[in-house]
Amino acid sequence: MKIELSVNGERKEADVWPGESLLFTLREKLGLPGSKNACEQGECGSCSVLLDEKLVCSCLVLTAQAQGHEIVTVEGIAEDDRLHRVQEAFVQTGAVQCGFCTPGLIVATVDLLAHRPEPSDDEIREALSGNLCRCTGYQKIFDAVRLAARA
Amino acid sequence: MSTPATRRKLELGRVGESVKRVDAVPKVTGEFAYSSDLFAAGMLWGHTLRSPHAHARILSIDISEAVGLAGVHAVLTHDDVPGDKRYGLEFPDQPVLAFDRVRYFGEPVALVAAEHPEQARRAAAAIKVEYEPLELVVDPELAADQPAIHPQHWTQGHGYRDDPRPNVVRDMRIERGDPDARADVSVEGYYELGIQDQAFLGPESGLAVPDGEGGVDIYVATQWLHVDRDQVAPCLNLSREQVRIHLAGVGGAFGGREDLSMQLHAAMLALHTNRPVKMVYNREESFFGHVHRHPGRIWAEHRANRDGKLVCVRMRILLDGGAYASSSTAVTSNAASFAVGPYAIENALIESTCVYTNNPPCGAMRGFGAVQTCFAAEAQMDKLAAELGMDPVELRLRNALASGDELPTGQKITGSMPVEEVIRRAAAIPVPDPEELPRDPIRLPGGAGNTTRGDGVQRGVGFAVGFKNIGYSEGFDDYTAARVRLFADTDGDLVAEIYCAAAEVGQGVTNVILQTARTELELENVMLAPGTTGEVGSAGSASASRMTWMATGAVQAACRAVRDELDRRGGGLASGDEIDLERIYRHPRTGPLEPETGQITTERAHVSFAAAAMRVVVEVDVDLGLTRVVWIGTAQDVGTAVNPQAVYGQIEGGTAQGLGLALMEEIQTRDGLITNASFTDYLIPTALDMPPVVAELVEHPEPEAPFGVKGVGEPPTVVSTAAVMSAMRAATGRELNRVPVKPDDIVFSGS
Ligand code: FES
Ligand code: FES
């Protein structure tokens, strides 16, 4: 089936299977592999995207459901050639190791700061608790969020 | 003619400075290409059919229906393996695709290549395999008396202690002094650990591309490119040159990418179809796709005098290796070698045994045997402190190992071993005061579940020390190659391109290599070429906390050779000229252990050692069995920190993995079948589970290492399980001798 949607401000069309997830379509059909596939069952947040400005796990959204909607992926976060302040903060604080969790965390942090520009430490931990990271132990991710909030 | 290019002043990025990761920007923008992100024109999708049985004879495989399905290009079984039918990291005991029988749940049986991954999955489901269940070997205590899972004794005859019993992978003992030596007091304990999974986030995946001349290029996330090649080539019946392994982006490893996963399978499908083939495991499959941390059962007795001096340690360790050997023989030995912990001891008897079973195969995971024994040994030290009425930190200080002391294997420690300082520094980090009640439920055990207002919550503070080896041991010829190409760019500046096959698995070795090269060459323009088997010799494995040391040594040697050549040429290069030199670095030689007594046969069996100490504060709701880890303070012996920011990152991340083993992580099995292969049921620490971690680096350069470096990845994982459990016991007053600890154990178990 043919689906039309907006991704990072551009109109896109894709020919998809009825059961295909938005994550698969983004990664394999639209050339946007930035959203990650760590679990494909809604448990890790590595596939996080914004759908009409709402944070969702794209592995749990059928592409068919996204017909006509607006998607922002990690590839659409930077402003022109400049890193977004959240991305810059992740680089500065050493919040990236293998980086497989990073795209999802960038999108989740952008979403958090959009709603709570100055989150408390507990609010940060709660807001990011749906994004698993196996490498960092989260300390530097918290540093990154605090730094981005101050920036 | 322009003036020859010379070195430009170095502004940033020497050894010892915190330097931003070079791959951080592509990773935050989503551009970094992981092994699951690869694409090639005309690419097919591969899928693996796996065994639904833990132990069964294969009576027949019928692929006729599967081959006829839409979009299917190939269906392959063991009959289609072009070369050797078996492979293995250390012993070739593992079938490329199962023949005659399957030995564990999830073992690969057949392969499919199709145009869409869903077509491949459906075709795999259409393959009919007839099985006849065989007697299960799933209790490691009984394994040595049951029929052999591998009639060939693969691991016997390699210089280990002879043990003809069925299913014994390795049985070893370390006997030191008088193992029956008596002392004033004695404490005994029995400990158990479940199976931990590496749970790296990037699933096993990669792309195999036929080269049109019978060879194949494999792009994959791995820890050791060359050892993958050496296992893949003979099974494909190809020469090593015809198989080129390229490092694709690695989404974490932690030991779980030492063994092959999809490399051979994707290559078989690609060569068969003459099309590129991509394979990506999903999370469930990932639990079957790699080896895990060995579960263990450990009995220990510690004898000490009234003054706290340890007199004798006796330990029996039983590890379940699962269906295939992987690196089990080395894990068995490591568990024994570090069983006592970083304490000086004159008398010891350590017996360590690993058996084959039909449980999930186990092998390397961060900490490699030392995690298991540290958990037991540190629980024993707490017990002993209680028995002696002595402060647990004081007891540890009294026995702290130091340079010049001998290990139970008889090896004298010649390098840096600042155990006492590590203990003192960790113990001196101020512990936060207990928080007042009432408070926000997010800061209580049970968290947002809002299960308590604080009644039934008890606080506990625990302490532990751990250590392990750096680098490969027991006579393994461990080396790393690096190549440096120095040339003048079009602006007339000197540029160095480094070739080193060290796997960047997220730990930050890329920066280590660049910092080393910048420091040695006094040059800003340094880049690292993509890792591949085609351009440079083996780097060895990104494991055993060895990669920083080894890569630093190799890159340093190659840079120095290039620098000398540059000086010989007058200090500059004309444009178009280049210097291209490769060097191999070896760490100090090790030798095997004597098979009957576990004593060294040469100066050393291990290269070097690193220690960590950790204090942990927990709060436990003893009515509901819920835990909140409040705070962690740790000090670690790191040699020289090449990139301090990255070292702190390793400590924090390694600590989280040990915390996970203590409190939540376990692969559950029933009759060998994994029952929780998902992140819904296999829990790893989230942002809510991790407390603040205050880490201090203890820097004493290792005399025999380049720049004095030591490895830093494993010690935090070794010590943190033990330290969390020490705090758990302090909070609950219960013995809690099994990890991960379950709510039931907290509420109901004996004290
Ligand atoms: S991949 Fe979507 S939540 Fe894990
Ligand atoms: S950096 Fe590897 S999973 Fe987060």
Side-chain angles (χ1 to χ4, degrees), chain A residues 17 27-28 36-38 41 43 87 92-94 96-100 122 125 132 134-135 138-140, chain B residues 21 27-28 34 36-37 197-198 201 278 283 443 645 649 652-653 657 665 678 680 685 687-688 691 693:
Chain A
W17 279 45
R27 289 175 50 78
E28 304 293 342
K36 289 291 169 266
N37 55 322
Q41 55 188 187
E43 285 292 343
Q87 292 170 316
Q92 290 296 341
T93 52
V96 178
Q97 286 187 28
C98 87
F100 210 80
D122 288 337
R125 294 169 66 218
L132 297 178
R134 189 53 158 169
C135 300
Y138 304 102
Q139 307 297 308
K140 301 207 180 323
Chain B
R21 292 180 68 100
K27 282 177 174 174
V28 298
Y34 293 89
S36 50
D37 300 339
D197 188 64
Q198 296 82 354
L201 284 204
K278 175 169 173 169
R283 182 51 52 182
R443 291 205 311 285
Q645 187 186 60
E652 292 155 5
Q657 289 184 2
E665 294 187 33
S678 75
T680 311
L688 284 171
V693 177

Side-chain angles (χ1 to χ4, degrees), chain A residues 23 36-48 57-60:
Chain A
L23 175 66
K36 289 291 169 266
N37 55 322
C39 78
E40 296 172 87
Q41 55 188 187
E43 285 292 343
C44 76
S46 73
C47 62
S48 301
C57 292
S58 63
C59 70
L60 293 185

Side-chain angles (χ1 to χ4, degrees), chain A residues 15-17 19-20 24 27-29 32-46 73-78 81-84 86-107 120-143, chain B residues 20-21 23-25 27-32 34 36-39 43 45 116-119 122 196-203 250-252 254 278 280-284 365-366 440 442-443 448 504-507 628-629 645-646 648-650 652-654 656-657 660 665 677-680 682 684-693:
Chain A
D15 196 6
V16 307
W17 279 45
E20 199 167 290
F24 187 87
R27 289 175 50 78
E28 304 293 342
K29 304 259 172 83
L32 294 169
S35 307
K36 289 291 169 266
N37 55 322
C39 78
E40 296 172 87
Q41 55 188 187
E43 285 292 343
C44 76
S46 73
T73 72
V74 68
E75 288 99 336
I77 298 288
D81 275 349
R82 277 195 30 243
L83 291 185
H84 186 281
V86 170
Q87 292 170 316
E88 188 60 48
F90 270 67
V91 174
Q92 290 296 341
T93 52
V96 178
Q97 286 187 28
C98 87
F100 210 80
C101 64
T102 307
L105 275 157
I106 297 284
V107 176
S120 70
D121 284 0
D122 288 337
E123 284 170 334
I124 295 173
R125 294 169 66 218
E126 196 164 14
L128 299 185
S129 64
N131 290 78
L132 297 178
C133 173
R134 189 53 158 169
C135 300
T136 65
Y138 304 102
Q139 307 297 308
K140 301 207 180 323
I141 292 169
F142 300 149
D143 291 346
Chain B
K20 278 178 284 175
R21 292 180 68 100
D23 56 11
V25 170
K27 282 177 174 174
V28 298
T29 57
E31 284 160 58
F32 187 84
Y34 293 89
S36 50
D37 300 339
L38 306 176
F39 176 85
M43 169 181 106
W45 289 81
H116 191 284
E118 193 51 39
Q119 289 173 324
R122 287 178 192 180
Q196 188 180 22
D197 188 64
Q198 296 82 354
F200 40 69
L201 284 204
V250 184
F254 319 117
K278 175 169 173 169
V280 181
Y281 292 180
N282 65 18
R283 182 51 52 182
E284 181 186 20
M365 184 177 170
R366 195 177 200 169
D440 190 320
I442 196 93
R443 291 205 311 285
E504 170 63 65
V505 295
Q507 84 281 45
R628 168 191 177 225
V629 182
Q645 187 186 60
Y648 286 111
Q650 286 298 303
E652 292 155 5
Q657 289 184 2
E665 294 187 33
S678 75
F679 280 159
T680 311
Y682 183 94
I684 65 173
T686 69
L688 284 171
D689 297 312
M690 270 310 281
V693 177

Side-chain angles (χ1 to χ4, degrees), chain B residues 556-614:
Chain B
Q556 183 181 59
C559 286
R560 289 185 178 177
V562 163
R563 210 173 59 191
D564 289 349
E565 176 62 18
L566 184 67
D567 289 346
R568 212 180 53 78
R569 297 194 194 179
L573 282 183
S575 109
D577 275 1
E578 65 170 42
I579 301 171
D580 188 343
L581 294 172
E582 182 166 335
R583 289 290 178 270
I584 286 178
Y585 172 81
R586 285 187 161 77
H587 60 59
R589 291 253 165 190
T590 62
L593 294 172
E594 205 284 314
E596 294 301 324
T597 61
Q599 297 298 296
I600 48 169
T601 54
T602 62
E603 193 190 323
R604 53 176 131 196
H606 295 289
V607 183
S608 166
F609 310 90
M614 187 173 285

